[in-house]
Amino acid sequence: MSGPLAGPAAPMRHPGALNAREQFAGVAQAVRQGRQPWAASFARLRANAHDDPAYTPRPVAVLVRGAAPGQPAENYARLFNDAAAAYALALDWRLTGDTRRAATAAAILNAWASTLTTITGTSDKYLASGLYGYQLAVAAETLRDFSGWQAQDRAAFARMLLGVFAPMNEAFLAHHNGAAIDHYWANWDLSNVAALVAIGVFTDRRDLYERGRDYYLNGPGNGAILHAAWKTYPGGLAQWQESGRDQGHTLLGIGLAGTLCEIAWQQGDDLFGAYDNRLLAAARYVARYNLGGEVPYTPYTNSDVTQPVISDKGRGEIRPIWSLLVGHYVQRKHLAAPELVQAATQAGPDGGGGDYGPNSGGFDQLGYGSLTFTVP
């Protein structure tokens, strides 16, 4: 981007969301050669209904997440489906050169850019600003080199991200909807941090990117890594902030942290390694427990709750989060993380939006990580 959309500092690396150009090339070659696990992972992408060149977007002017009396009905499923489709189609184009799919991805992004003006609802609107903000920005960054996506359309999409999503991301991280700093769980912060870093990359707004990056490292809320992975134990484990709540949200938080760390890695910042690989310690803890193993637990207390024991609600749930972490810590860094490897193996080739349930939780991750993060 250039002109009024650009921030005061140097532009970002492109493509530089979840994968660099050379990574896409290596994965594409592995798929063409029928090598595993990439071939099976690509088959999972093609089997997903969102990777359909005939997909039709359903944009709205006012996105609503969180039902409230006297307020408009929720409609946010329209966006999480369309974001999943935009990413799947853009990723497929990156790997195959299928311009029909790329054109459909561009049409989805253009439709939202020309329609969406507001995100509202209960406090859940900030989950929408975070989750769908990062997903749309990653989809757009994946597509950014497609010649059929016109420069003026890319600029319009950037304006939408900067005008609708980023102000909400910043407002939530600064003010937490007027609540106590420890009121909102880690995943609320992490989704909005992920959105800021992803939007910062796509729009060349290094200031937004750095705001998200620095919050993850040193922020006051539960999404900052030292608050999210708040208690360390011998043996390389760290207790996650939501472990006493339920495992679905715990897995979501780990997945979001991995996502934003991967975006930062593509921009030259090693958040994965922060505080002696604190995220790795938390991921191993969460994977071990969800594989059926035992982990230590310290009672968790904040201004709202006391959780004396670890929660088994949702224990063993499958989400497409482990391949990214294995790709970095085990393949790139050659660190021991047997729990992550086992969790990724058990999950099998990662699917995408809708493969893990039809509701919002089934769309919290963009997915396809065993395709995009396994090192060829």
Side-chain angles (χ1 to χ4, degrees), residues 49-57 82 85-90 93 98-112 143 146 148-149:
H50 295 85
D51 185 22
D52 180 357
Y55 187 93
T56 301
D82 284 5
Y87 178 68
L89 291 158
W93 164 73
D98 186 336
T99 55
R100 188 180 173 204
R101 281 180 160 84
T104 303
I108 295 168
L109 299 180
N110 292 346
W112 282 93
L143 190 67
F146 173 51
W149 195 21

Side-chain angles (χ1 to χ4, degrees), residues 62-68 71-78 120-122 124:
V62 179
L63 189 78
V64 183
R65 178 164 181 169
Q71 298 299 313
E74 290 186 306
N75 59 8
Y76 67 101
R78 289 172 176 254
T120 189
T122 63
D124 283 7

Side-chain angles (χ1 to χ4, degrees), residues 235-262:
L237 301 178
Q239 183 173 322
W240 192 253
Q241 190 257 345
E242 300 192 59
S243 294
R245 180 190 184 195
D246 63 62
Q247 296 309 306
H249 286 97
T250 294
L251 293 164
L252 169 59
I254 293 290
L256 288 168
T259 295
L260 72 90
C261 286
E262 185 63 33

Side-chain angles (χ1 to χ4, degrees), residues 1 12-19 24 90 93-94 109 135-146 149 157 161 198-204 267:
M1 297 301 154
M12 313 302 293
R13 301 178 182 176
H14 301 297
L18 294 178
N19 296 95
F24 284 126
W93 164 73
R94 276 283 179 188
L109 299 180
Q135 291 175 358
L136 287 171
V138 169
E141 182 68 11
T142 304
L143 190 67
R144 71 177 301 127
D145 296 337
F146 173 51
W149 195 21
F157 191 76
L161 291 176
I199 291 169
V201 169
F202 178 70
T203 63
D204 276 330
Q267 297 303 320

Side-chain angles (χ1 to χ4, degrees), residues 84-169:
Y87 178 68
L89 291 158
L91 176 60
D92 195 316
W93 164 73
R94 276 283 179 188
L95 301 181
T96 66
D98 186 336
T99 55
R100 188 180 173 204
R101 281 180 160 84
T104 303
I108 295 168
L109 299 180
N110 292 346
W112 282 93
S114 63
T115 306
L116 183 65
T117 62
T118 307
I119 301 173
T120 189
T122 63
S123 58
D124 283 7
K125 65 188 177 185
Y126 291 110
L127 289 173
S129 69
L131 291 169
Y132 315 136
Y134 98 75
Q135 291 175 358
L136 287 171
V138 169
E141 182 68 11
T142 304
L143 190 67
R144 71 177 301 127
D145 296 337
F146 173 51
S147 60
W149 195 21
Q150 301 300 315
Q152 63 267 28
D153 292 331
R154 291 197 303 272
F157 191 76
R159 283 193 295 271
M160 187 270 290
L161 291 176
L162 292 171
V164 178
F165 288 90
M168 292 183 68
N169 306 144

